[in-house]
Amino acid sequence: MDAGEAALIAASGLWLALPAMLPNSAAVLFGRGAPVDLGRSWRGRRLLGDGKTWWGFFGGAASGIALGVLMLLLANAAGWSDNGGFGPTGQALGVITLLAVGSLLGDMLGSFIKRRLDVPRGAKLPVIDQYDFLIGAFILVGIAYPSWLYQSYLEGWSLLALLTLLVATPLLHRAMNIIGYRMGKKEVPW
Ligand code: CTP
Ligand code: MG
């Protein structure tokens, strides 16, 4: 393992997770209209809250899948092997779809947990806010494509890919939220 190989593994950790990272930012742009929980409450608190909308969910998922398809085209145009690390095309499309959908389901699970803890919509809950989407994405991909997840993020030196992703995620999350706030799309800069 030399420095160049290590850098490549670290970069692949971010690259492969992009279809899971875009949907949450895209959901901010698409979000409007009916909330996913349709306003319903459970035990006196909203199920998910007004911050999770159907438009955000489908717009976010479509954005993540579209980005993933562009990444496959780019990887092949650039001559990278293995569809840029996503594997054979059928699997690659499956992984991309599950990363995108899983990230938004994880984000909703995070909101569900926040409401149960009586944390209002938009208020901070450290760790859950930063990592809920990644947990959802990895759970869904891990169910359908466990060996892809294992080889990409867990086996041997690929742990470096996971570490890079875990360090970069809160920084990117913060940066995107500040951008969303400045654009007037988010009420708070976190
Ligand atoms: N959003 C959406 N639909 C989703 C996810 C996000 O419409 N499925 C939009 C909402 O406008 C939301 C914004 O993106 O306010 C930012 O998302 P997030 O920070 O996850 O939601 P919060 O408003 O902070 O709500 P919560 O406390 O439930 O996380
Ligand atoms: Mg939030």
Side-chain angles (χ1 to χ4, degrees):
M1 171 70 43
D2 62 34
E5 286 169 325
L8 206 60
I9 292 172
S12 85
L14 298 179
W15 163 259
L16 294 174
L18 286 177
M21 298 208 255
L22 180 68
N24 283 274
S25 302
V28 180
L29 301 178
F30 281 98
R32 76 202 68 196
V36 173
D37 67 9
L38 300 175
R40 277 188 287 247
S41 292
W42 184 49
R43 298 189 176 188
R45 320 230 178 275
R46 278 291 290 277
L47 218 44
L48 302 174
D50 286 330
K52 306 295 120 155
T53 66
W54 287 106
W55 267 98
F57 181 78
F58 286 111
S63 304
I65 293 168
L67 174 67
V69 171
L70 285 177
M71 290 168 68
L72 294 184
L73 296 174
L74 173 69
N76 286 294
W80 299 342
S81 62
D82 201 30
N83 270 323
F86 290 102
T89 302
Q91 169 187 307
L93 292 172
V95 167
I96 285 163
T97 303
L98 294 179
L99 284 175
V101 173
S103 75
L104 291 158
L105 292 178
D107 176 55
M108 288 201 278
L109 178 64
S111 293
F112 179 79
I113 292 169
K114 286 170 80 173
R115 301 302 92 82
R116 306 289 66 75
L117 297 173
D118 208 13
V119 177
R121 179 235 172 139
K124 283 193 233 191
L125 184 58
V127 184
I128 294 286
D129 278 336
Q130 286 82 11
Y131 289 109
D132 54 7
F133 77 94
L134 209 54
I135 292 167
F138 275 12
I139 287 177
L140 233 59
V141 169
I143 290 171
Y145 302 101
S147 54
W148 178 83
L149 188 65
Y150 182 68
Q151 283 161 21
S152 304
Y153 285 104
L154 296 168
E155 186 180 37
W157 281 102
S158 69
L159 267 176
L160 183 58
L162 181 63
L163 190 69
T164 308
L165 184 59
L166 292 180
V167 171
T169 293
L171 302 174
L172 287 169
H173 186 260
R174 179 90 180 119
M176 293 313 288
N177 285 344
I178 291 172
I179 292 171
Y181 175 70
R182 296 234 173 110
M183 286 171 66
K185 291 285 178 187
K186 267 187 70 85
E187 281 148 41
V188 288
W190 58 74

